[in-house]
Amino acid sequence: MANLTTRFVQTAPPGKHGDGDGTGLMLVVQPAGSRSFVQRLTVHRKVVDIGLGSARWVTLAEARKAARENQRLARRGGDPRALRAGRHVPTCKEASDKAISIHADGWRDGGKSENQ
């Protein structure tokens, strides 16, 4: 699969056109002519498509940079969609550590009941 070029982004026919750089970046051209960048990647073992913006407002270089950043974050266990929404999705370890710290005071010591 060939890499996208700025000229091809402007003149591509309708369909999905991959960048071929391994980040899952695609140019999606609608039949009416609108063009947008979309990235397909795996987040938490689920394949998702993430919109990176209209090709009218986002350059190919900007889309590639965003795709690389998203891919790095997803490989470390993060969720690029949550980051864009301004919220942090905790990892399993972060969530369990927080749950333990919240509830530890109410747990019995060592699994022994107070009556034993």
Side-chain angles (χ1 to χ4, degrees), residues 45-106:
R45 293 183 288 200
K46 182 177 179 182
V47 177
V48 297
D49 287 347
I50 299 174
L52 302 177
S54 168
R56 187 174 188 182
W57 307 111
V58 177
T59 66
L60 178 57
E62 292 169 336
R64 283 179 173 151
K65 181 179 178 187
R68 283 190 302 273
E69 291 170 0
N70 288 344
Q71 186 178 45
R72 277 189 213 109
L73 181 60
R75 285 185 176 171
R76 288 191 309 256
D79 187 343
R81 298 168 301 170
L83 186 64
R84 287 179 56 187
R87 64 183 199 270
H88 172 70
V89 176
T91 64
C92 186
K93 179 170 178 13
E94 290 171 341
S96 65
D97 288 347
K98 185 170 184 173
I100 290 169
S101 69
I102 290 171
H103 298 289
D105 292 339

